[in-house]
Amino acid sequence: LGCALAARQSKLSEQDQNDRDEEDLNERFKSLLIDAEECEGRKTKKKVLYLERFNAHQMQESEYFDAAEECYNKAINLEPVEPEFLFHRGKLMSLQDKHDLALDDFQRAARLGGANEVEYLFNAGKTYAIMGD
């Protein structure tokens, strides 16, 4: 009888331990869920912040593109036979997805020739590829 009682107490104490372990796991799981939700909230806030920063940079970038385009236009008006001015304005147009204007500048630069004629032609070819022509 003593052995059976000891075995039963042992079994009960094992069950109690298993119950405590399960409760502990449940608490840990709940804690992890809360941490995950808080982390997700922080991620969402960061995404919004980065999107706002991106939009601000885009607006600023647009202003820089406009200023750069104006400078290249002035340089081309002052020195219309300088292919580098046309080439760099073409690169600027390409960055803004103004591929027709970029292609025109690359072709004009290539017609003027110079040490970088191959580069002008290469960029004209890349622009054709982007445009799907």
Side-chain angles (χ1 to χ4, degrees):
L1 186 67
C3 277
L5 185 60
R8 185 170 177 181
Q9 283 179 336
S10 174
K11 199 171 196 180
L12 285 175
S13 112
E14 256 182 58
Q15 184 63 39
D16 287 344
Q17 184 61 41
N18 287 342
D19 289 345
R20 283 193 299 268
D21 288 347
E22 189 175 328
E23 285 176 19
D24 186 44
L25 284 174
N26 284 336
E27 288 301 314
R28 287 166 129 177
F29 183 71
K30 286 177 188 176
S31 176
L32 288 173
L33 281 177
I34 290 169
D35 289 347
E37 288 172 356
E38 288 175 0
C39 182
E40 197 58 39
R42 286 191 302 271
K43 284 182 183 178
T44 301
K45 287 178 185 176
K46 281 185 178 180
K47 286 178 188 176
V48 169
L49 177 65
Y50 288 137
L51 184 60
E52 288 171 355
R53 284 183 186 169
F54 176 75
N55 289 334
H57 285 298
Q58 261 189 326
M59 289 176 57
Q60 190 176 28
E61 185 178 82
S62 176
E63 291 172 15
Y64 290 141
F65 281 152
D66 292 344
E69 184 177 350
E70 185 179 329
C71 289
Y72 283 125
N73 289 339
K74 287 179 181 179
I76 291 166
N77 286 333
L78 291 171
E79 193 68 45
V81 294
E82 176 54 59
E84 283 294 305
F85 296 154
L86 290 162
F87 171 71
H88 287 289
R89 185 176 69 181
K91 297 280 281 184
L92 180 68
M93 295 297 115
S94 184
L95 285 171
Q96 299 177 80
D97 295 327
K98 298 178 181 177
H99 299 296
D100 290 335
L101 296 172
L103 181 61
D104 183 53
D105 282 345
F106 294 143
Q107 289 174 332
R108 286 176 56 198
R111 280 193 297 275
L112 290 171
N116 296 320
E117 183 177 2
V118 172
E119 189 173 3
Y120 309 150
L121 291 169
F122 175 76
N123 278 277
K126 275 179 39 179
T127 303
Y128 268 125
I130 289 168
M131 294 169 62
D133 291 341

